[in-house]
Amino acid sequence: MSSVSQKAVSVSAPSLQPEPSLLKQPKAVWAVFFACIIAFMGLGLVDPILPAIAKNMNATPSQVTLLFTSYNAVMAIAMLITGSISSRLGIKWTLLLGIVVIAVFSALGGASNNIWALVGLRGGWGLGNALFVATALAAIVSLSNSGTAKAIILYEAAIGLGISVGPLLGGWLGGMSWRGPFFGVATLMVVAFIGLISLMPKQHSGGQTKGKKKTSLLDPFRALKHYSLLVFGIAAALYNFGFFTLLAYAPFVMGLDEHGLGFVFLGWGILLAITSVFMAPKLQQSFGTVKSMCLMLFLFAIVLLAMGIWTSTQWVIIAAVIFAGALLGNNNTLITTAVMNATNVERSTASAAYSFLRFLGGAIAPYMAGKLAELYNPHVPFIVGAGFVLVSVLFILANAKHVKHVDDVEAGH
């Protein structure tokens, strides 16, 4: 156990030991990086076509937001089995299985003619994403030659690029037909499959590696006995109420077509990608992980509150969505780094446990936002989302003594 602890400290202190450049990575890392971009396109890809889906399928906004709910709910539950599957299939085959599942359900979604069928198929897409996403972080960290901290930044950059390109592609293909983005992802996943199967090394393709026990289905629940991991997981679930309110409900109040929504969320995603790679490490160095995280979340709550007050003012909503990308980019890198350093639990297990809690919030929030707007008015979802994000800050601060060691690990103390 102590050797694991020493390893966690040594690889997490990039400031004390010289490491290779972030950009000098093995080909396998770039193959996973590219596949990550495509996988995360799925998150923002449907944003520009949400109003179009509602119109073409005679669905209400709350019904359409179920596309996020089913996706995140299945992801949350599936996160609990990803470690068990990857420890048996190996990282490479788990990634490939995830890609195949995403491609199949995305293509079936594009062929569907019913909102409830589409909601169900998005759930299947979420299963593929869970298999891929949880394993991709472990793959990039293990394959990278530049240390854990920089590997996480690379992973977050892939997320940012995927989330930013997704809406642009979704807007472009969605301008032709709302089915276009679904078929587009299926096609790109075939490309990602070819890249991974040819570039991933053989040692990552087998099942159980020598000397490494298979992961149990109960391991993620056992990991949550570590209070620091539980704190970050609950905080992420609360913050995701704000994140997915912005992602799933904001398109309905902007009054833009598919192309316009695509460009707004492109701006949002570009800021998310840039800050996750360049700004978050500087904040971490200057103020520490936990303080920086709380600051970003507090500012995000203020942005959501502004969106709730000026919901009918188009330019405020557009500007707020784009600016929120910077706050979310910083926070995503900060909280992922914190989770990786929170315990001595195996990283893939810690990621699965944390993601389970995080996506539970992401499953409830979209539908809740749509329902609140239908029951009350369009202002309420954003105000409620701001409240949840603020509670996440207070929750972290109330449990500061349980998470302060994260900054000590980062500093290499």
Side-chain angles (χ1 to χ4, degrees), residues 150-174:
K150 286 183 179 177
I152 289 171
I153 290 170
L154 201 62
Y155 174 74
E156 292 295 337
I159 292 175
L161 285 170
I163 289 175
S164 60
V165 175
L168 186 65
L169 183 67
W172 179 61
L173 293 173

mmCIF file of all heavy atoms in Angstrom, residues 150-174:
data_model
loop_
_atom_site.group_PDB
_atom_site.id
_atom_site.type_symbol
_atom_site.label_atom_id
_atom_site.label_comp_id
_atom_site.label_asym_id
_atom_site.label_seq_id
_atom_site.Cartn_x
_atom_site.Cartn_y
_atom_site.Cartn_z
ATOM 1 N N LYS A 150 0.148 16.022 -16.254
ATOM 2 C CA LYS A 150 0.070 16.445 -17.657
ATOM 3 C C LYS A 150 -0.842 15.521 -18.467
ATOM 4 O O LYS A 150 -1.502 15.967 -19.405
ATOM 5 C CB LYS A 150 1.473 16.478 -18.274
ATOM 6 C CG LYS A 150 2.299 17.670 -17.801
ATOM 7 C CD LYS A 150 3.647 17.721 -18.487
ATOM 8 C CE LYS A 150 4.444 18.931 -18.013
ATOM 9 N NZ LYS A 150 5.787 18.969 -18.606
ATOM 10 N N ALA A 151 -0.879 14.247 -18.091
ATOM 11 C CA ALA A 151 -1.779 13.313 -18.778
ATOM 12 C C ALA A 151 -3.234 13.711 -18.551
ATOM 13 O O ALA A 151 -4.058 13.630 -19.464
ATOM 14 C CB ALA A 151 -1.533 11.886 -18.278
ATOM 15 N N ILE A 152 -3.551 14.149 -17.337
ATOM 16 C CA ILE A 152 -4.912 14.601 -17.019
ATOM 17 C C ILE A 152 -5.250 15.847 -17.843
ATOM 18 O O ILE A 152 -6.361 15.982 -18.360
ATOM 19 C CB ILE A 152 -5.066 14.878 -15.511
ATOM 20 C CG1 ILE A 152 -5.063 13.554 -14.731
ATOM 21 C CG2 ILE A 152 -6.355 15.640 -15.216
ATOM 22 C CD1 ILE A 152 -4.994 13.711 -13.237
ATOM 23 N N ILE A 153 -4.281 16.755 -17.977
ATOM 24 C CA ILE A 153 -4.490 17.968 -18.779
ATOM 25 C C ILE A 153 -4.783 17.574 -20.239
ATOM 26 O O ILE A 153 -5.670 18.139 -20.883
ATOM 27 C CB ILE A 153 -3.256 18.897 -18.700
ATOM 28 C CG1 ILE A 153 -3.149 19.509 -17.297
ATOM 29 C CG2 ILE A 153 -3.336 20.006 -19.759
ATOM 30 C CD1 ILE A 153 -1.845 20.239 -17.040
ATOM 31 N N LEU A 154 -4.047 16.578 -20.740
ATOM 32 C CA LEU A 154 -4.261 16.101 -22.114
ATOM 33 C C LEU A 154 -5.666 15.524 -22.262
ATOM 34 O O LEU A 154 -6.371 15.787 -23.247
ATOM 35 C CB LEU A 154 -3.210 15.040 -22.448
ATOM 36 C CG LEU A 154 -2.918 14.768 -23.920
ATOM 37 C CD1 LEU A 154 -2.362 16.011 -24.592
ATOM 38 C CD2 LEU A 154 -1.930 13.618 -24.047
ATOM 39 N N TYR A 155 -6.087 14.757 -21.269
ATOM 40 C CA TYR A 155 -7.433 14.163 -21.264
ATOM 41 C C TYR A 155 -8.498 15.253 -21.243
ATOM 42 O O TYR A 155 -9.471 15.205 -21.999
ATOM 43 C CB TYR A 155 -7.549 13.260 -20.038
ATOM 44 C CG TYR A 155 -8.927 12.682 -19.789
ATOM 45 C CD1 TYR A 155 -9.431 11.649 -20.575
ATOM 46 C CD2 TYR A 155 -9.716 13.142 -18.738
ATOM 47 C CE1 TYR A 155 -10.683 11.100 -20.339
ATOM 48 C CE2 TYR A 155 -10.967 12.603 -18.488
ATOM 49 C CZ TYR A 155 -11.441 11.583 -19.288
ATOM 50 O OH TYR A 155 -12.686 11.054 -19.038
ATOM 51 N N GLU A 156 -8.308 16.262 -20.396
ATOM 52 C CA GLU A 156 -9.266 17.367 -20.309
ATOM 53 C C GLU A 156 -9.288 18.182 -21.604
ATOM 54 O O GLU A 156 -10.321 18.712 -22.005
ATOM 55 C CB GLU A 156 -8.944 18.276 -19.117
ATOM 56 C CG GLU A 156 -9.168 17.638 -17.755
ATOM 57 C CD GLU A 156 -10.623 17.297 -17.479
ATOM 58 O OE1 GLU A 156 -11.518 17.911 -18.104
ATOM 59 O OE2 GLU A 156 -10.868 16.400 -16.658
ATOM 60 N N ALA A 157 -8.114 18.284 -22.264
ATOM 61 C CA ALA A 157 -8.055 18.990 -23.555
ATOM 62 C C ALA A 157 -8.890 18.251 -24.594
ATOM 63 O O ALA A 157 -9.603 18.875 -25.394
ATOM 64 C CB ALA A 157 -6.609 19.103 -24.029
ATOM 65 N N ALA A 158 -8.817 16.918 -24.580
ATOM 66 C CA ALA A 158 -9.622 16.115 -25.505
ATOM 67 C C ALA A 158 -11.109 16.316 -25.237
ATOM 68 O O ALA A 158 -11.909 16.453 -26.163
ATOM 69 C CB ALA A 158 -9.255 14.632 -25.367
ATOM 70 N N ILE A 159 -11.471 16.346 -23.952
ATOM 71 C CA ILE A 159 -12.862 16.603 -23.572
ATOM 72 C C ILE A 159 -13.305 17.964 -24.107
ATOM 73 O O ILE A 159 -14.361 18.106 -24.713
ATOM 74 C CB ILE A 159 -13.041 16.558 -22.039
ATOM 75 C CG1 ILE A 159 -12.840 15.127 -21.523
ATOM 76 C CG2 ILE A 159 -14.429 17.065 -21.637
ATOM 77 C CD1 ILE A 159 -12.871 15.016 -20.017
ATOM 78 N N GLY A 160 -12.457 18.965 -23.862
ATOM 79 C CA GLY A 160 -12.779 20.330 -24.296
ATOM 80 C C GLY A 160 -12.944 20.436 -25.797
ATOM 81 O O GLY A 160 -13.888 21.057 -26.292
ATOM 82 N N LEU A 161 -12.032 19.811 -26.543
ATOM 83 C CA LEU A 161 -12.122 19.857 -28.008
ATOM 84 C C LEU A 161 -13.372 19.125 -28.495
ATOM 85 O O LEU A 161 -14.067 19.594 -29.394
ATOM 86 C CB LEU A 161 -10.867 19.219 -28.619
ATOM 87 C CG LEU A 161 -9.593 20.066 -28.566
ATOM 88 C CD1 LEU A 161 -8.383 19.240 -28.966
ATOM 89 C CD2 LEU A 161 -9.722 21.282 -29.475
ATOM 90 N N GLY A 162 -13.659 17.973 -27.878
ATOM 91 C CA GLY A 162 -14.847 17.218 -28.263
ATOM 92 C C GLY A 162 -16.121 17.997 -28.000
ATOM 93 O O GLY A 162 -17.020 18.064 -28.845
ATOM 94 N N ILE A 163 -16.182 18.613 -26.816
ATOM 95 C CA ILE A 163 -17.373 19.381 -26.440
ATOM 96 C C ILE A 163 -17.524 20.626 -27.317
ATOM 97 O O ILE A 163 -18.635 21.052 -27.622
ATOM 98 C CB ILE A 163 -17.315 19.766 -24.945
ATOM 99 C CG1 ILE A 163 -17.529 18.508 -24.086
ATOM 100 C CG2 ILE A 163 -18.361 20.807 -24.590
ATOM 101 C CD1 ILE A 163 -17.380 18.747 -22.597
ATOM 102 N N SER A 164 -16.391 21.206 -27.752
ATOM 103 C CA SER A 164 -16.467 22.419 -28.574
ATOM 104 C C SER A 164 -16.777 22.101 -30.033
ATOM 105 O O SER A 164 -17.580 22.777 -30.671
ATOM 106 C CB SER A 164 -15.151 23.218 -28.484
ATOM 107 O OG SER A 164 -14.059 22.442 -28.942
ATOM 108 N N VAL A 165 -16.156 21.054 -30.575
ATOM 109 C CA VAL A 165 -16.393 20.683 -31.972
ATOM 110 C C VAL A 165 -17.774 20.061 -32.141
ATOM 111 O O VAL A 165 -18.435 20.248 -33.164
ATOM 112 C CB VAL A 165 -15.293 19.713 -32.481
ATOM 113 C CG1 VAL A 165 -15.614 19.224 -33.895
ATOM 114 C CG2 VAL A 165 -13.939 20.402 -32.472
ATOM 115 N N GLY A 166 -18.238 19.346 -31.104
ATOM 116 C CA GLY A 166 -19.536 18.674 -31.160
ATOM 117 C C GLY A 166 -20.684 19.585 -31.587
ATOM 118 O O GLY A 166 -21.400 19.280 -32.544
ATOM 119 N N PRO A 167 -20.883 20.725 -30.889
ATOM 120 C CA PRO A 167 -21.977 21.620 -31.273
ATOM 121 C C PRO A 167 -21.830 22.194 -32.676
ATOM 122 O O PRO A 167 -22.828 22.387 -33.373
ATOM 123 C CB PRO A 167 -21.907 22.740 -30.223
ATOM 124 C CG PRO A 167 -21.224 22.119 -29.062
ATOM 125 C CD PRO A 167 -20.237 21.161 -29.647
ATOM 126 N N LEU A 168 -20.584 22.489 -33.091
ATOM 127 C CA LEU A 168 -20.371 23.033 -34.438
ATOM 128 C C LEU A 168 -20.766 21.997 -35.486
ATOM 129 O O LEU A 168 -21.490 22.294 -36.443
ATOM 130 C CB LEU A 168 -18.903 23.426 -34.620
ATOM 131 C CG LEU A 168 -18.571 24.139 -35.936
ATOM 132 C CD1 LEU A 168 -19.264 25.493 -36.019
ATOM 133 C CD2 LEU A 168 -17.063 24.305 -36.087
ATOM 134 N N LEU A 169 -20.310 20.754 -35.281
ATOM 135 C CA LEU A 169 -20.671 19.662 -36.186
ATOM 136 C C LEU A 169 -22.175 19.396 -36.118
ATOM 137 O O LEU A 169 -22.831 19.190 -37.140
ATOM 138 C CB LEU A 169 -19.890 18.399 -35.819
ATOM 139 C CG LEU A 169 -20.098 17.174 -36.721
ATOM 140 C CD1 LEU A 169 -19.541 17.440 -38.119
ATOM 141 C CD2 LEU A 169 -19.437 15.940 -36.119
ATOM 142 N N GLY A 170 -22.708 19.440 -34.888
ATOM 143 C CA GLY A 170 -24.139 19.221 -34.703
ATOM 144 C C GLY A 170 -24.974 20.284 -35.403
ATOM 145 O O GLY A 170 -26.009 19.990 -36.008
ATOM 146 N N GLY A 171 -24.508 21.538 -35.323
ATOM 147 C CA GLY A 171 -25.218 22.632 -35.983
ATOM 148 C C GLY A 171 -25.153 22.520 -37.493
ATOM 149 O O GLY A 171 -26.150 22.756 -38.193
ATOM 150 N N TRP A 172 -23.990 22.138 -38.007
ATOM 151 C CA TRP A 172 -23.802 22.019 -39.455
ATOM 152 C C TRP A 172 -24.624 20.859 -40.016
ATOM 153 O O TRP A 172 -25.394 21.024 -40.965
ATOM 154 C CB TRP A 172 -22.314 21.823 -39.762
ATOM 155 C CG TRP A 172 -22.027 21.665 -41.230
ATOM 156 C CD1 TRP A 172 -22.267 22.561 -42.222
ATOM 157 C CD2 TRP A 172 -21.437 20.512 -41.855
ATOM 158 N NE1 TRP A 172 -21.863 22.052 -43.441
ATOM 159 C CE2 TRP A 172 -21.346 20.797 -43.239
ATOM 160 C CE3 TRP A 172 -20.966 19.288 -41.385
ATOM 161 C CZ2 TRP A 172 -20.805 19.888 -44.158
ATOM 162 C CZ3 TRP A 172 -20.427 18.377 -42.302
ATOM 163 C CH2 TRP A 172 -20.363 18.689 -43.660
ATOM 164 N N LEU A 173 -24.481 19.680 -39.408
ATOM 165 C CA LEU A 173 -25.236 18.518 -39.875
ATOM 166 C C LEU A 173 -26.720 18.655 -39.546
ATOM 167 O O LEU A 173 -27.585 18.238 -40.326
ATOM 168 C CB LEU A 173 -24.686 17.240 -39.228
ATOM 169 C CG LEU A 173 -23.272 16.816 -39.634
ATOM 170 C CD1 LEU A 173 -22.801 15.633 -38.801
ATOM 171 C CD2 LEU A 173 -23.210 16.476 -41.113
ATOM 172 N N GLY A 174 -26.997 19.279 -38.393
ATOM 173 C CA GLY A 174 -28.391 19.462 -37.983
ATOM 174 C C GLY A 174 -29.134 20.443 -38.865
ATOM 175 O O GLY A 174 -30.364 20.403 -38.963
#
